[in-house]
Amino acid sequence: MDQSIKVFAPASVANVAVGYDILGFALEKPGDEIVARFSEKAGFRISLITGDKGKLPYEVPKNTAGFAAYSLLKHLGESERGIELEIHKKMPFGSGLGSSAASAAAAVFAINVLLGSPLSKKELLHFAVLGEQVADGAYHADNVAPSLLGGMVLIRNNKDLDVHTLPVPDKLYASVVYPHIKILTKDARGVLKPDVPLDKVIQQTGNMAGFIISLFRSDFDLLSRSLNDVLIEPQRATLIPHFYQVKKAALDNGAIGCSISGAGPSIFALSKGKESATEIVNAMAKVFSDQGIQVEKFVSPINQSGAIRL
Ligand code: HSE
């Protein structure tokens, strides 16, 4: 009865410039931790939430981790079983780093391990996306899939969760800055025009295809030419003060490409090697700190593990 399972699921960068709602990669840190254990009391409940400054609800249907876990338990016919979940938020939310997705991914992974791993990680994905949907109302896996599965993930189709892990060149590093500015994903989705001009679609499709080829060939030059968002970034950049200065700082310091992480306000850059990634993140962060904006920075290779048991 006292067996408890502790897991970690990492932050992620969604969209990756060219794949709005269909591309994402996992970082090594930060991430969330979840503990799942059997309990004497019948039914599923959230017993503890830490690190959220009291902001997250204990009501299961309103909580991304709780709803993801409950949806999985229902599917497995275990929703009446006494199980409790602890959620330990170890990363900022509303950051554009897939915080709610990390909680949802960790929750389904923890429950699955507790029950003897009846499902594969890919089979868990749907339930984690249901949890993530509680946060922003849309069913998309571009944060949840990398957080759960690890790696650079392409979601060919969100509806069917036709998910594919892409190869990642050796030494590909991400530099990420999180300025303490509040942007709600719902609002960042709301600013997007439903229709896009045909010439932009043509450019973005070419960039997306080039991006995929560059990963298969480890071609950093093609990656650099391809990592260019002509659809979403121009519409969202105004939500992030100093965005273009930060992007310029990243590119001037050797970044392969730079864009908004998920719905923002975090900004990511890709580069070759840890040393370069560190220089880039420092230059990006300096733009915000010079403007008196508090900023956190992360440097990470692409995390290939996703959710793990601790
Ligand atoms: N693809 C999503 C967006 C990621 O950009 O709105 C954030 O949930």
Side-chain angles (χ1 to χ4, degrees), residues 51-111:
D52 69 323
K53 297 193 178 124
K55 287 187 189 153
L56 293 181
Y58 275 78
E59 295 100 311
V60 168
K62 292 186 189 164
N63 183 294
T64 54
F67 189 69
Y70 182 72
S71 304
L72 172 63
L73 286 168
K74 240 171 86 179
H75 170 78
L76 295 172
E78 300 273 15
S79 57
E80 296 307 315
R81 192 147 172 191
I83 290 178
E84 57 185 43
L85 207 68
E86 289 179 11
I87 302 165
H88 301 288
K89 293 300 297 178
K90 305 251 171 174
M91 59 178 290
F93 35 83
S95 58
L97 293 173
S99 175
S100 52
S103 292
V108 295
F109 185 65
I111 294 289

Side-chain angles (χ1 to χ4, degrees), residues 1-84:
M1 261 315 190
D2 55 1
Q3 187 195 11
S4 83
I5 304 292
K6 188 177 187 183
V7 310
F8 166 86
S12 53
V13 169
N15 301 337
V16 200
V18 289
Y20 177 69
D21 277 358
I22 59 164
L23 261 184
F25 65 83
L27 298 171
E28 287 197 332
K29 277 189 213 161
D32 282 345
E33 290 174 11
I34 296 259
V35 176
R37 66 171 70 85
F38 293 118
S39 124
E40 304 280 347
K41 217 163 125 184
F44 172 70
R45 69 191 180 101
I46 298 168
S47 57
L48 181 66
I49 306 176
T50 66
D52 69 323
K53 297 193 178 124
K55 287 187 189 153
L56 293 181
Y58 275 78
E59 295 100 311
V60 168
K62 292 186 189 164
N63 183 294
T64 54
F67 189 69
Y70 182 72
S71 304
L72 172 63
L73 286 168
K74 240 171 86 179
H75 170 78
L76 295 172
E78 300 273 15
S79 57
E80 296 307 315
R81 192 147 172 191
I83 290 178
E84 57 185 43

Side-chain angles (χ1 to χ4, degrees), residues 259-278:
S259 190
I260 301 167
S261 174
S266 290
I267 302 170
F268 81 96
L270 292 180
S271 61
K272 197 174 177 179
K274 189 174 181 181
E275 208 177 307
S276 172
T278 306

